[in-house]
């Protein structure tokens, strides 16, 4: 609250006056003190605005923490899925190797042609590629988990 103090003084002469007043000169002094009691609820509004801004900032922090936690959980789940995919593709590779061995044995004894061996080799190559891709996806997912975890730790330490 800003209070103001003001003063005013005046001195002068009166050309026309009543006969009872002996001197034509006069003087006056006055003072004024202003204390703003009613200011249109400005201070209440500013206090409420500050409170709402603080609440908004707290909500922003909470939203950021939730977003980071969600990102970390998603990255961990993706890494778990990629790890499980390695086992599936390894089983597929084992089956493709077994099928190639069978096709080779059948060819050697004359029960099948070269086309069956070529198809088995193609399946084995595809299974090896899938297994390699699964391992790569797992390593990528682990790196993403580490990155998300580091960002979570740094954002929590900033608070």
């Amino acid at each position: 609250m800003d209070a103001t103090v003001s003063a005013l003084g005046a001195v002068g002469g009166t050309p026309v006056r009543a006969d009872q007043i002996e001197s034509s000169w006069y003087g006056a002094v006055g003072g004024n003190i202003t204390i703003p009691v009613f200011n249109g609820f400005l201070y209440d509004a500013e206090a409420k605005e500050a409170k709402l801004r603080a609440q908004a900032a707290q909500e922003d922090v909470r939203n950021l923490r939730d977003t980071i936690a969600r990102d970390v959980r998603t990255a961990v789940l993706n890494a778990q899925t990629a790890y499980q995919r390695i086992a599936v593709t390894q089983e597929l590779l084992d089956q493709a190797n077994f099928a190639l061995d069978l096709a080779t044995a059948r060819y050697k004894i004359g029960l099948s042609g070269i086309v069956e061996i070529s198809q088995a080799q193609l399946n084995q190559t595809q299974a090896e590629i899938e297994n390699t891709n699964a391992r790569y996806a797992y390593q990528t997912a682990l790196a993403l988990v580490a990155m998300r975890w580091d960002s979570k730790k740094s954002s929590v330490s900033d608070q």
Side-chain angles (χ1 to χ4, degrees):
M1 293 169 93
D2 295 335
T4 58
V5 177
S6 59
L8 177 66
V11 177
T14 56
V16 179
R17 64 184 185 285
D19 291 334
Q20 294 86 4
I21 301 174
E22 297 177 7
S23 173
S24 65
W25 292 98
Y26 71 90
V29 176
N32 188 18
I33 299 176
T34 305
I35 301 173
V37 176
F38 297 105
N39 58 2
F41 301 105
L42 173 69
Y43 299 123
D44 291 338
E46 287 176 346
K48 188 173 183 178
E49 178 188 12
K51 189 176 187 181
L52 291 174
R53 285 185 188 271
Q55 286 176 350
Q58 288 174 345
E59 285 297 314
D60 288 344
V61 168
R62 187 181 63 80
N63 286 339
L64 181 62
R65 284 183 179 168
D66 289 347
T67 300
I68 292 170
R70 183 204 62 216
D71 289 349
V72 169
R73 280 193 305 272
T74 302
V76 167
L77 290 174
N78 288 340
Q80 289 173 346
T81 302
Y83 181 75
Q84 292 169 351
R85 186 170 173 245
I86 290 173
V88 170
T89 58
Q90 183 61 49
E91 182 65 30
L92 179 66
L93 179 59
D94 292 344
Q95 292 299 318
N97 287 334
F98 182 69
L100 179 61
D101 291 343
L102 284 178
T104 303
R106 286 175 50 92
Y107 178 74
K108 285 182 180 177
I109 62 172
L111 294 177
S112 69
I114 193 73
V115 174
E116 187 178 338
I117 290 179
S118 293
Q119 187 63 43
Q121 288 173 338
L122 176 63
N123 291 340
Q124 181 202 31
T125 302
Q126 287 175 338
E128 286 176 346
I129 290 170
E130 286 299 318
N131 186 260
T132 302
N133 284 341
R135 291 177 188 279
Y136 177 77
Y138 177 62
Q139 293 300 320
T140 303
L142 285 181
L144 188 59
V145 167
M147 183 186 75
R148 298 287 187 204
W149 184 253
D150 288 344
S151 70
K152 180 181 179 180
K153 287 191 316 187
S154 67
S155 70
V156 169
S157 65
D158 290 344
Q159 300 301 323

